[in-house]
Amino acid sequence: MTMLVLVGWIAAPHPGLGLGGVLRTAGVLWLVGHHVAVQVQGAGRIGMLPLGLVLLPGTLLFWAGRAVAGGQRANGGGRVLGAALAVAAPYSVIAGVIAIVSRSELVRASFPQAILAGFAVAFVAAWLGAARALTPWAKVGTLMSERVRAILLGAAGSLAVLAAAGMLTTAVALANHVHQFGAVYDRLSPGLVGTGLLLLAQLAYLPNAVLWAIAYMVGPGFAVGAGTIVAPTGSVLGQIPRFPLLAALPTGLHDSVAGWLAALLLSLPYLAGVTGGLLIVRHVPHMTVDGAAIRGFCSGAACGVILGLLAAFAGGPLGDGRLSAVGPSAWQVTVVATLELGIAAAVSAGAGHWWYRRRRAARDPGQPGSVRDAGAGGTGAAVPTADSVASVITRSTRTTPGRLTGHDEDDEGGHVIYLDRWAEDQAAGHPPKRPRGPSALP
């Protein structure tokens, strides 16, 4: 952060900003990378911060967690928790100190938020790093129950589909507004160094744009100022900041997009839910239909909660004026996404499991319960098949000659099977020697 601020300061020197101001600005940007809001004089609170910037400290904290876990003597979960706390506790103190020393008349970072955000980012990243140091990713799932593993797998599949759709929607929107994109650059005239720094800022805000696109597809949309809305049903916008990524937004009052395009965008969350439900069936094929549907709804609900949490971090105020409300509504995204993804995943998981059982019964009619007796009395007893007879013969080598039973002699529910002991002689061309008596009966 210090190097980036130094480059910008050298390229566009400011008479009121000395080297101390450069270091304070770098400290503020470091806190912004941990999603700490700042108070700017004359503008207000800036809380819509770039999510992509969190990847920088998150990656370093991940490796720190791995290094600390490798030097501890404890085993199992205590070792992972100890490594995460050993990194997060001093890291939060450092964040608080930087929030204090980076204050100036122009910018002030929130001290309580610096403590909490620093601890949260460090704890999560270090915990993941410590867990990775002790257990490979392929074996992490074995530490969970089958039910939790299936729900998380379905939620991850739904999130992957929505993330891919959000990236594609963002790219198409920018491609359709390439002229407006270039016009914003012309008005800003950032120069060579400024263009590079502006490009880095846009890359840092790109995850925010993807989450805005997902909120658009889910239905609630997002706002770029108080009293504005951008949704598939239409958009109402006023003046927007001169930031290149915002050039993809429509200006003024616009009707909804084309009917077929709106239907396609609104169907993507249901497709994501269907994908999550089918992944659950593929992961756990042996369960009841209602159990599959319940797990499907839980995976969709988990995905909706995650989307709502991410939507809360993807937006925020850009001052105390008209731009005090920017981004999607967290609770609206949570409720709508939970219903859409949960119901779609429940239906697809239940239907997929029913279809799987149907195909399995058609391929292997010898499976228990695949064929039922529909005779008089409706007892529902299973009809003996060729496979079941063969299994009974294999298990009954110690029964009396000429008679095999699938159960004990005193079991009234067992069926009796009679064998032709002279079948081999008849196949070899020898005349059958059938004694007279009951054994000669067909």
Side-chain angles (χ1 to χ4, degrees), residues 309-336:
L309 184 62
L310 292 175
F313 287 103
L318 284 177
D320 295 335
R322 190 180 64 86
L323 295 178
S324 59
V326 179
S329 172
W331 73 268
Q332 291 183 12
V333 171
T334 300
V335 173
V336 177

Side-chain angles (χ1 to χ4, degrees), residues 321-385:
R322 190 180 64 86
L323 295 178
S324 59
V326 179
S329 172
W331 73 268
Q332 291 183 12
V333 171
T334 300
V335 173
V336 177
T338 297
L339 293 176
E340 291 179 351
L341 295 169
I343 294 176
V347 172
S348 65
H353 180 65
W354 174 82
W355 181 253
Y356 170 79
R357 291 183 60 183
R358 183 184 178 90
R359 291 192 61 184
R360 185 183 180 189
R363 287 196 312 265
D364 193 359
Q367 290 292 331
S370 59
V371 182
R372 294 292 177 182
D373 184 11
T379 58
V383 178
T385 61

Side-chain angles (χ1 to χ4, degrees), residues 37-66:
V38 296
Q39 190 78 20
V40 180
Q41 184 182 8
R45 183 172 178 269
I46 306 297
M48 208 210 77
L49 306 175
L51 289 177
L53 206 57
V54 184
L55 295 177
L56 294 177
T59 302
L60 297 175
L61 289 165
F62 176 86
W63 289 103
R66 291 194 63 174

